[in-house]
């Protein structure tokens, strides 16, 4: 498999020097807004409060990350100065507000934001989350597929890596309804695998999958315990189905549960993680005491990241060693005619 120049460089930028992903997300919107709103006793979280939280998270956690995932509303404009030029930047494109219909959820881009603008700010990759159920209504599935394909085509045009996140969610007839950005506790592994299988199609242009555990994290047995072989088989199938480099998301899982997820994922060939709340949610409970929140991050969040990073170094597969690339990814157009054949943003050589 070959990679275009921009995608090749972007993937290198968001990984560490060995090709493993240790990426921290501070692009969360509803989870952060909701806790601030509750603590302040107000109807809507103030921008200044959200900005203070995201600045603190970025300042404390960026030094331990290969890349930071930032949203254009608050995290990028308010915290980009805390990201080192030697680190990668991933920018979010999906709106946190989705349309709930009888047939399922429909996603959309953030208004006044685009792949073109993400390219222009100098970000190294585009991240998009799409809610998906293979058993959702046909119109909903078609909408989600067209949404993802549209973004994949824009990422190809602007030559940015497309980091794609999938989340299974409860349909109207399911138990344990929630609109929160958390793992669906009743999900079946087949729903996760069938969703990944759909978007592994090359027409969507996904370069790096950000995937949830095929088994609810709280139900995942300890490695080596009864049921571990069955669980590992689901993770192995997840990796085969992705067909390209992939990382794990935390989906609100606790620290120990997420670490357990990573062990299974790394045995199945995952190349790292892109996580947020598993790292900083515990410290965030100190809000609005920002000093205590910083102390809790240093006491618990940073050591936890160090542990995850050591685990990643020990077990994760460098992205450039993924079987999809053979011996190594090849630069598309490599040769004496590179400058002639490499297209501009209009697709012209």
């Amino acid at each position: 498999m070959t990679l275009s120049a921009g995608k090749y460089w972007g993937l290198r930028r968001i990984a560490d020097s060995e090709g493993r992903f240790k990426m921290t997300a501070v692009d969360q919107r509803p989870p952060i807004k909701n806790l601030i709103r509750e603590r302040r006793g107000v109807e809507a979280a103030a921008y200044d409060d959200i900005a203070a939280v995201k600045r603190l998270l970025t300042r404390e956690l960026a030094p331990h990350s290969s890349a930071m995932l930032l949203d254009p509303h608050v995290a990028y404009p308010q915290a980009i100065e805390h990201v080192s030029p030697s680190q990668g930047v991933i920018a979010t494109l999906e709106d946190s507000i989705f349309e709930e219909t009888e047939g399922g959820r429909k996603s959309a881009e953030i208004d006044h934001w685009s792949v073109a603008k993400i390219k222009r700010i100098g970000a190294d990759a585009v991240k998009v989350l799409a809610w998906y159920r293979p058993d959702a209504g046909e119109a909903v599935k078609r909408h989600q597929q067209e949404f993802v394909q549209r973004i994949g085509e824009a990422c190809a045009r602007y030559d940015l890596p497309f980091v794609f996140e999938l989340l299974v969610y409860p349909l109207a007839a399911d138990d344990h309804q929630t609109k929160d950005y958390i793992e669906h506790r009743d999900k079946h592994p087949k729903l996760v695998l069938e969703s990944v299988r759909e978007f592994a199609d090359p027409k969507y242009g996904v370069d790096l999958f950000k995937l949830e555990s095929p088994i609810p994290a709280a139900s995942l047995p300890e490695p080596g315990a009864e049921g571990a072989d069955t669980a590992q088989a689901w993770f192995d199938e997840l990796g085969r189905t992705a067909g390209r480099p992939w990382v794990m998301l935390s989906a609100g899982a606790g620290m120990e549960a997420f670490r357990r997820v990573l062990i299974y994922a790394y045995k199945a060939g995952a190349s790292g993680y892109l996580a947020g709340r598993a790292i900083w949610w515990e410290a965030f409970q100190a809000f609005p005491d920002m000093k205590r929140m910083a102390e809790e991050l240093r006491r618990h969040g940073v050591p936890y990241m160090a542990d995850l990073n050591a685990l990643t170094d020990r077990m994760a597969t460098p992205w450039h060693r993924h079987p999809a690339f053979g011996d190594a990814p090849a630069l598309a157009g490599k040769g004496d005619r590179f400058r002639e054949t490499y297209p501009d943003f209009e697709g012209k050589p």
Side-chain angles (χ1 to χ4, degrees):
M1 181 189 295
T2 62
L3 284 171
S4 60
K7 288 178 179 283
Y8 176 66
W9 188 248
L11 287 170
R12 291 187 67 190
R13 285 274 303 156
I14 63 175
D16 69 10
S17 60
E18 300 300 319
R20 297 180 176 92
F21 300 106
K22 303 164 181 173
M23 305 179 290
T24 305
V26 294
D27 70 321
Q28 291 82 355
R29 285 146 285 170
I32 289 177
K33 291 178 181 179
N34 290 343
L35 189 142
I36 292 174
R37 176 177 54 79
E38 292 168 6
R39 294 295 173 83
R40 293 295 194 191
V42 295
E43 291 187 5
Y47 184 90
D48 287 348
D49 274 342
I50 303 169
V53 168
K54 296 201 173 194
R55 278 196 299 269
L56 176 60
L57 293 176
T58 305
R59 186 189 75 210
E60 298 296 328
L61 301 177
H64 312 283
S65 311
S66 65
M68 295 297 294
L69 172 56
L70 309 176
D71 66 274
H73 306 284
V74 182
Y76 186 91
Q78 295 294 331
I80 188 62
E81 66 266 28
H82 296 299
V83 182
S84 166
S86 64
Q87 294 171 291
V89 172
I90 310 166
T92 299
L93 182 54
E94 90 282 347
D95 198 335
S96 62
I97 301 172
F98 51 84
E99 181 184 355
E100 191 83 72
T101 74
E102 284 297 319
R105 293 178 184 174
K106 294 181 177 180
S107 302
E109 297 94 327
I110 296 170
D111 59 358
H112 307 296
W113 196 236
S114 64
V115 174
K117 287 189 175 183
I118 291 173
K119 177 74 172 184
R120 197 173 182 210
I121 64 170
D124 301 293
V126 175
K127 171 260 177 181
V128 166
L129 178 153
W131 302 95
Y132 197 76
R133 284 282 294 254
D135 53 346
E138 289 301 319
V140 169
K141 288 196 295 183
R142 185 166 57 253
H143 177 278
Q144 294 299 82
Q145 291 161 5
E146 291 173 353
F147 166 69
V148 177
Q149 186 170 355
R150 179 171 68 247
I151 293 167
E153 291 170 350
C155 287
R157 179 183 178 186
Y158 290 98
D159 210 6
L160 282 171
F162 183 12
V163 180
F164 181 53
E165 175 179 0
L166 273 168
L167 277 182
V168 168
Y169 63 96
L171 294 176
D174 292 335
D175 293 331
H176 303 116
Q177 289 292 318
T178 179
K179 293 184 179 181
D180 292 335
Y181 281 70
I182 58 175
E183 184 177 52
H184 181 206
R185 59 189 288 187
D186 295 327
K187 69 182 177 184
H188 192 281
K190 289 183 178 179
L191 294 176
V192 177
L193 289 168
E194 289 176 19
S195 299
V196 175
R197 184 171 292 111
E198 170 63 38
F199 294 101
D201 189 313
K203 71 180 181 181
Y204 295 108
V206 174
D207 299 296
L208 179 67
F209 272 116
K210 179 186 178 188
L211 301 177
E212 62 179 321
S213 168
I215 298 171
S219 304
L220 199 60
E222 287 288 342
E226 183 179 355
D229 289 346
T230 300
Q232 189 62 60
W234 284 115
F235 276 87
D236 293 346
E237 184 61 24
L238 184 70
R240 286 190 292 269
T241 303
R244 56 183 53 67
W246 54 293
V247 298
M248 294 306 297
L249 59 88
S250 60
M255 287 181 168
E256 288 305 314
F258 184 56
R259 189 183 191 282
R260 190 162 57 245
V261 166
L262 287 183
I263 292 173
Y264 282 97
Y266 291 163
K267 288 181 179 179
S271 293
Y273 65 85
L274 175 45
R277 283 170 289 170
I279 297 168
W280 50 256
W281 187 253
E282 184 176 316
F284 185 32
Q285 303 311 299
F287 181 87
D289 187 336
M290 302 302 289
K291 180 180 179 181
R292 184 168 156 238
M293 186 175 161
E295 291 171 350
E296 289 298 311
L297 279 173
R298 294 166 192 164
R299 184 178 297 118
H300 299 294
V302 170
Y304 178 68
M305 280 194 74
D307 179 55
L308 293 189
N309 290 345
L311 179 69
T312 302
D313 288 336
R314 194 163 62 247
M315 296 186 66
T317 301
W319 73 266
H320 50 78
R321 294 183 188 169
H322 190 278
F325 299 120
D327 293 334
L331 179 67
K334 184 176 183 178
D336 61 358
R337 298 189 63 234
F338 174 77
R339 73 184 191 285
E340 300 171 42
T341 58
Y342 185 68
D344 62 16
F345 292 151
E346 303 304 319
K348 300 174 183 177

